Amino acid sequence: SKKHGLYAPGCHIPVVPSEELYIRSPDSVIVLAWQYYDVIAARHLQFTEQGGKFVVPLPDLMVI
């Protein structure tokens, strides 16, 4: 994607490819594209099955 390697505006959070979930193994990931959360979560069941959490700040804060 053209956005990989850049940062989210105003908060300096890096935008990385999905594969980084499995390379870096973070405890949680912020999903700023909240309207696509269902698609993203379905694509990354392995991440949540391994204990990873998605933080969705909009429209209401959720930690899933």
Side-chain angles (χ1 to χ4, degrees), residues 10-28:
C11 53
H12 205 67
I13 297 170
V15 178
V16 297
S18 297
E19 297 81 33
E20 292 293 318
L21 287 175
Y22 307 103
I23 295 169
R24 296 183 187 196
S25 298
D27 294 331
S28 58

Side-chain angles (χ1 to χ4, degrees), residues 2-3 7 9-12 15-16 21 23 25 29 32-35 39-40 43-44 48-49 55-56 59 62-64:
K2 293 179 183 181
K3 295 181 182 185
Y7 294 89
C11 53
H12 205 67
V15 178
V16 297
L21 287 175
I23 295 169
S25 298
V29 172
L32 297 176
W34 60 269
Q35 64 273 34
V39 174
I40 293 168
R43 190 180 316 158
H44 297 291
T48 54
E49 288 170 352
V55 178
V56 185
M62 296 185 299
V63 178
I64 307 163

